Amino acid sequence: MGEHGGSHGGGLVRAFRQKAGLTQRQLAQVAGVSVGVVRDLEQGRTARLHTESVRRLASALRLDRQQARELSLAARVPADGAAARVQTGELRISVLGPVAAWRHGAPVALGPPMQRAVLGLLAVYTGTGLSRSVVTDALWGEDPPMTAASMLLSYISRLRRLLGPGGPVRTTGNGYRLEPAACELDLLIFGGLVRHAQKAQAAGELATACQAYADAIALWRGDPLADCDILQGHPAVVRLSQQKADAVTGYADAAIAARCPDRILPHLRELTDREPLNERAHALLMIALAGSGQQATALGVFDQMQRRLDNELGIRPGPELTAAQVQVLSQQIPVGPATASAAAAAARPRPAARHFPGQLPCAVAHFTGRTVELAALNTALDQAAGRTIVISAIAGTAGVGKTALAIQWAHQVTGHFPDGQLYVNLRGYDPDQPMPAADALARFLRALGVPGQDIPAEEDERAARYRSLLVGKRVLVMLDNAGSAEQVRPLLPGTPACTVMVTSRDALAGLVARDGATRLELDLLPLEEAVDLLRTLIGARVDAAPDAAAELAAQCCRLPLALRVAAELATSRPGVPLTQLTRELADLHKRLDLLAAGGDRRAAVRAVFSWSYQHLGADAARGFRLLGLHPGPDFEPYAAAVVTGTTAEHARRVLGELSRAHLIAEHVPGRYAFHDLLRAYAAEQARHTDSDAARREATGRVLDHYLHTAARAARLLNPAKEPVVLAPPRPGAAP
């Protein structure tokens, strides 16, 4: 969102109104709307413009046809590009980041990567269309499979079904195209806003230009078509990245001329990090830094660039970079009003350079699915403004992909946090000792530029120093694998501009109740997404044996960790059909052995489960083991009490602890279940820990319980029928 707030449409209305020399009241009178409507629109309290309102405003502002179209396009989307907030019945497609679509404001699961790539490719060539041969070449190169034509037809058919009747995917004589009138496409809105900014810039209307550039750049959610690896080298996708770079440099020219260089610094830093040899971007960064009163930092940029050009290309800085150095050295760069005090203080001793930590781990390769969860996280981020702090606590069972989802999302939203990203693995459920909050604070303080000798000794003092350093900054703090709310609380910043992301196997109810956290419960992958992940990791063998692939996904309980280990097992045995692999995995206990990831304790399914099990109390651990022997698909507290030989009240407490640890799930109210891999692990632990007699007693009690309960129910339902005579139930198995 631009710094003045409002939607894209509101920003354009304000810009056109100012150009026409009208007040809000005058525009309202001419357009035949209330002044409150104009005010709410420009200030962002009205998210969208009605079609009739667009027509009236365009007429009142005397817009030409192109300007009216730009206003109509911009009126359809919120300023920050947060598509999850759209609440209309229209279809919106986004390619300025991972390929995504929304219908009726809800995300659409677009299917496997190749299918998303087809939609993304058509979107990039909106209106013109592509022949089938061109699409085939883009997807498979010079060696397409024999089934390429039928696969492409299948992708198109599924996309039409997903995008709804009357959707934008159309068939041409020899190919397909995306009809722009049938959807909202962020790429078209971006282009319209950039053209408007360029016109305003050429006319000397710098404030209007800056606002339009800011709104255009805010539409980007990452690299174009970021989740379509197959298209990353495609010329059209490369051109999209260049268009963003051009928009950033155009915005920089306008912001520097308007004496508000602070607005462009985060975008220029991102561009120069991405394009370390882009001399024009570095020259603009130097001028913007100097205009913000940071002359020393600006000269440091030149020195780094000079060494980089010499080491990597064997050349000297070009004329634009050299001219920027001369301007900085001669102090010929105008300083904006907001930064004049900083420039005046330049002669005084300067504090240490600001640190912009970028500690996020690499995103998981071939991340697949989780569209709904990513949209939910975007919504949580959108709602952060005005609250002391927002924490998204992602909870879920071991191996469900909490960390992978958190890191994937964090990389998509780094643009929201120009002051950096902090990351720590708190080891709450690792085999190692959990990390004390004091140690995590020390790491963060060092990352924020505090020398080791200046880090306070006490945890409270470290937390106070940490919060002070984050005041006024926009930083993402990722706390991975937290063991408890108490471990997390000292690491919470005290500024509303920062967001904290917590992952944990615990539900972290205390963070929700006391600290206002937004909790996202992460479930197993849907079957379609699980098969998509196998397809991405294994390849064509999945399409060659779709039933076996679905069976393999089910055997892995749709756990991302287990799916990745199984995929590695399959790729290491290329000559073994998937059907044979599923036969080998049919035995649950052998399945845990096969999913051992070569002994890697952080990837082996059995080892990862053990970290949760070892954190249970003695009663819950015993309940976990014995419930693994339960013969049915699920159980309720009375059956759990019989299995464990305790009371129903005690069993409820045990079930609650196991549920909070995500070792069982309450799949319907009052009934609990394991997934197959956890059931196998629980039964395995019972064999290793509990005696044969204890296991036989537990199984016998629950069978007696069900037998006598069924017999009593039969007598109630059919009292005239002669009852079956049973031996008395064993102690603790009363019906």
Side-chain angles (χ1 to χ4, degrees), residues 48 76 78 82-93 100-109 160-168 182-184 375 379:
R48 299 170 57 84
R76 299 179 181 182
R85 296 165 67 182
V86 177
Q87 298 297 324
T88 74
E90 298 177 11
L91 172 69
R92 180 168 186 262
I93 296 174
W102 294 263
R103 279 177 58 198
H104 304 284
V108 177
R160 284 177 172 153
R161 185 173 65 254
L162 289 169
L163 299 178
C183 64
E184 299 173 351
T379 300

Side-chain angles (χ1 to χ4, degrees), residues 683-704:
E684 181 179 84
Q685 293 307 303
R687 289 195 301 275
H688 292 163
T689 305
D690 301 291
S691 67
D692 290 345
R695 298 199 308 274
R696 283 196 300 272
E697 277 299 311
T699 304
R701 280 196 304 270
V702 74
L703 292 175
D704 269 7

Side-chain angles (χ1 to χ4, degrees), residues 31 60 65 82 97 182 337 393 405 451 521 573 596 642:
R65 180 175 299 178
L405 171 65
E521 297 283 354
R573 302 162 66 183
V642 170

